């Protein structure tokens, strides 16, 4: 990346695709989620990261394994996290200014998020999942009075929708890192997604159209790495028709090295 700085115009274009989905935040105070109970505690469903136990030849995790994917997604996510998200009245005051509601429950929730995450980290995580998965999912911890008290960000790849016989969305089944599932009513989640014409319930990642090019670049880099680790010696062998002397073998080896071996 020659210039990691995102111009105001480019950032506005990128963020315009993301910001409208914040309207889903208003759903925090809709309904009581009756009819669906959690199968286990909220903590069971929290996803703190991805499984990077093994490195594969094929590109498994573009965000971690490909430098340009990481740089692009992180640049956008950091810019998103600097935008001051506030709660305000639709109507403006006599001077035409927004009336901020700093003590509103939603404003307090956005400031507090949860015990381990700051507001900046919340929006970074949300934006990163948006651009890697095409969607982001918030899980809500509510008080006894049903008011949202904490926000946790889940990996959408580990969430599957629960539908009624008529096809209406009832909630989400989320698999935690321990392998156990938890069920959340639709009112206990907030979803952000890029429109997916193939599946209106799931998002479409901007990374998908570029996946082939990213994977080719990754494979080329791994190939070059393997060559360098082998002292730049190409693989193969030489077959001769008859037995050669040790001196002839040494001359042949030195000639091969001088012609094909890189600097050691």
């Amino acid at each position: 990346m020659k210039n990691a700085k995102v111009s105001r115009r480019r950032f506005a274009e990128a963020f315009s695709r993301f910001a409208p989905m914040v309207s889903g935040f208003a759903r925090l105070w809709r309904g009581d989620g009756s009819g669906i109970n959690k199968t286990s505690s909220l903590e069971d469903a929290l996803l703190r990261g991805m499984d990077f136990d093994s490195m594969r030849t094929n590109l498994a995790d573009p965000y971690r394994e490909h430098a340009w994917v990481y740089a692009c997604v992180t640049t956008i996510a950091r810019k998103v996290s600097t935008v001051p998200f506030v709660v305000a009245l639709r109507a403006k005051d006599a001077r035409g200014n927004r009336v901020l509601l700093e003590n509103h429950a939603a404003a307090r929730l956005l400031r507090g998020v949860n015990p381990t995450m700051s507001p900046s980290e919340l929006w970074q995580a949300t934006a990163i999942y948006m651009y890697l998965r095409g969607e982001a999912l918030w899980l809500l911890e509510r008080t006894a009075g049903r008011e949202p008290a904490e926000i946790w960000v889940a990996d959408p790849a580990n969430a599957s929708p629960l539908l009624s016989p008529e096809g209406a969305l009832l909630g989400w089944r989320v698999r935690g890192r321990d392998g156990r599932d938890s069920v959340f009513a639709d009112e206990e989640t907030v979803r952000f997604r890029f429109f997916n014409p193939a599946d209106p319930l799931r998002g479409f990642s901007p990374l998908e159209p570029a996946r082939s090019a990213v994977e080719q670049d990754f494979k080329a880099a791994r190939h070059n790495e393997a060559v360098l680790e082998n002292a730049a010696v190409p693989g193969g062998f030489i077959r001769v028709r008859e037995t050669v002397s040790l001196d002839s073998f040494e001359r042949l080896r030195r000639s091969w090295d001088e012609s094909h071996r890189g600097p050691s």
Side-chain angles (χ1 to χ4, degrees), residues 11 26-27 47 57 80 87-88 97 152 154:
F11 171 59
R27 298 174 57 256
L47 309 174
T57 302
V80 170
V87 179
N97 298 320
W152 298 90

Side-chain angles (χ1 to χ4, degrees), residues 30-263:
R30 179 174 62 82
D32 59 3
S34 59
I36 295 183
N37 298 320
K38 297 179 184 177
T39 59
S40 58
S41 65
L42 174 65
E43 290 76 9
D44 293 338
L46 301 182
L47 309 174
R48 305 298 172 82
M50 305 178 191
D51 181 14
F52 304 132
D53 292 338
S54 60
M55 294 294 289
R56 290 159 290 270
T57 302
N58 293 328
L59 183 63
D61 175 28
Y63 185 69
R64 177 173 178 173
E65 298 173 357
H66 196 277
W68 303 127
V69 172
Y70 173 83
C72 293
V73 173
T74 300
T75 298
I76 294 174
R78 287 175 177 171
K79 290 295 182 179
V80 170
S81 69
T82 63
V83 176
F85 290 92
V86 298
V87 179
L89 294 176
R90 289 182 177 272
K92 298 181 180 180
D93 62 17
R95 297 182 179 181
N97 298 320
R98 287 286 187 185
V99 179
L100 303 183
L101 304 177
E102 296 182 355
N103 291 323
H104 190 277
R108 296 196 302 270
L109 181 61
L110 285 173
R111 289 195 300 266
V113 186
N114 65 56
T116 64
M117 182 174 282
S118 67
S120 175
E121 291 171 329
L122 169 68
W123 291 110
Q124 282 193 47
T126 303
I128 287 172
Y129 278 129
M130 286 285 290
Y131 281 91
L132 293 180
R133 307 283 194 242
E135 55 188 330
L137 181 67
W138 288 1
L139 306 178
L140 307 178
E141 177 70 50
R142 294 179 181 268
T143 64
R146 305 299 300 164
E147 182 177 286
E150 296 176 358
I151 302 173
W152 298 90
V153 184
D155 185 347
N158 292 330
S160 56
L162 300 175
L163 305 178
S164 70
E166 295 76 24
L169 180 64
L170 299 177
W172 292 84
R173 185 182 304 277
V174 182
R175 174 153 296 183
R177 296 189 67 183
D178 59 2
R180 292 189 295 175
D181 291 347
S182 295
V183 173
F184 295 86
D186 190 35
E187 291 78 11
E188 296 176 304
T189 66
V190 177
R191 294 182 295 137
F192 308 86
R193 64 188 184 278
F194 292 130
F195 176 70
N196 184 351
D199 186 351
L201 284 178
R202 308 309 300 255
F204 183 78
S205 170
L207 182 61
E208 284 302 315
R211 180 171 294 277
S212 177
V214 171
E215 288 183 346
Q216 290 181 39
D217 186 62
F218 174 76
K219 290 179 179 179
R222 294 302 296 269
H223 172 77
N224 292 337
E225 180 182 353
V227 171
L228 293 174
E229 289 179 349
N230 196 38
V233 177
F237 60 91
I238 299 175
R239 175 181 294 178
V240 296
R241 294 181 179 276
E242 56 188 25
T243 303
V244 298
S245 66
L246 182 60
D247 290 341
S248 297
F249 171 78
E250 289 296 332
R251 286 196 303 271
L252 185 60
R253 184 182 63 81
R254 287 196 298 269
S255 176
W256 175 268
D257 287 346
E258 290 172 358
S259 298
H260 301 285
R261 186 168 186 170

